Amino acid sequence: MAFGPIDAVAPRTLLWIEFALLYVGAPLAIALFLPPDQMFTALFLFMLAGLILLWRTGGYEWRGLVRGRLMPWWEVLGIAIATLISGLVVLYLSRPEAIFAMVRQRPEFLLVIWCLYPLLSALPQELIFRPLFFHRYGGLMPAGNAAIAINAAIFSFAHLMYWSWVVAILTFCGGWIFARAYLRHGFPAAWMLHAVAGNVLFAVGMGYYFYSGNVVRPF
């Protein structure tokens, strides 16, 4: 998948400023000032702004949001297993009582999360961090894995609001995998992997780290 041309969008300097405000300034402001119970509202507004910028860029094949290459089943299974194992290890070392707590105590609520998370969380995040990033700002990025690494880094930074090294590491790894899937297979594949990884995390009990109600700012 080719990165978007920067000369057809805006001057390079203005794009860098816009990029910094969107992917660094906004997450930092959210982490520092936004009440935790308003994070989903912020995510929705963030997605809306991203879609407007994607539209203004021009040249984006919107059909790509619903069309893509078939995602190999072993890659989906692989991220599910990797997420399961990493979640179990983290919880075993930090909060063993949380392992499969929702499965054991509130399985009906877990089903609600499984239905809503792909639409209300994974989808807007993927729109912002994959199509917008690579189409509008891809021309600013270096080639190959360096661009994927930058994408993973800003995806991880966007989760600063949780103030957790566990979340930072997991989201960097996830961002790398999702960006790679997007570039190789298209948007539906990245969205699918994100949804699977998130649902597995909540099933394992890692919702403790990804629940805005548990956020404690270190200041």
Side-chain angles (χ1 to χ4, degrees):
M1 180 177 294
F3 294 166
I6 60 172
D7 56 349
V9 182
R12 190 181 187 93
T13 301
L14 291 180
L15 272 183
W16 271 120
I17 294 173
E18 182 182 290
F19 178 89
L21 289 174
L22 185 67
Y23 289 117
V24 180
L28 186 60
I30 290 171
L32 293 175
F33 305 114
L34 190 75
D37 61 355
Q38 295 183 20
M39 288 181 180
F40 269 103
T41 302
L43 179 59
F44 175 77
L45 294 175
F46 203 11
M47 180 192 70
L48 202 58
L51 288 174
I52 292 172
L53 287 172
L54 190 59
W55 171 73
R56 285 177 57 85
T57 303
Y60 182 70
E61 291 291 336
W62 292 95
R63 291 175 298 178
L65 296 180
V66 294
R67 295 181 183 177
R69 298 176 185 173
L70 186 64
M71 189 71 193
W73 65 268
W74 58 85
E75 291 192 29
V76 180
L77 180 61
I79 194 171
I81 294 175
T83 303
L84 174 66
I85 293 174
S86 60
L88 288 173
V89 170
V90 169
L91 290 175
Y92 178 78
L93 296 174
S94 61
R95 296 184 62 85
E97 73 281 2
I99 295 176
F100 295 118
M102 192 172 294
V103 174
R104 292 182 280 106
Q105 300 169 9
R106 299 193 63 187
E108 74 288 349
F109 186 55
L110 179 61
L111 291 177
V112 173
I113 291 177
W114 278 1
C115 292
L116 296 181
Y117 178 82
L119 295 174
L120 300 183
S121 186
L123 178 59
Q125 289 183 64
E126 285 306 306
L127 287 169
I128 296 164
F129 289 96
R130 256 50 82 176
L132 179 63
F133 176 93
F134 287 107
H135 184 69
R136 185 168 178 86
Y137 308 106
L140 300 173
M141 301 296 120
N145 286 337
I148 295 178
I150 294 172
N151 183 268
I154 64 167
F155 182 68
S156 176
F157 186 75
H159 292 77
L160 176 65
M161 58 190 177
Y162 293 106
W163 297 101
S164 166
W165 281 107
V166 170
V167 172
I169 293 171
L170 288 178
T171 51
F172 179 85
C173 295
W176 186 293
I177 294 169
F178 306 150
R180 178 177 173 272
Y182 174 74
L183 293 175
R184 301 181 87 184
H185 304 290
F187 179 79
W191 179 25
M192 178 192 300
L193 290 185
H194 193 155
V196 168
N199 281 350
V200 170
L201 281 177
F202 280 104
V204 163
M206 287 291 289
Y208 171 81
Y209 288 98
F210 289 88
Y211 172 51
S212 60
N214 290 335
V215 171
V216 178
R217 292 188 172 105
F219 50 83

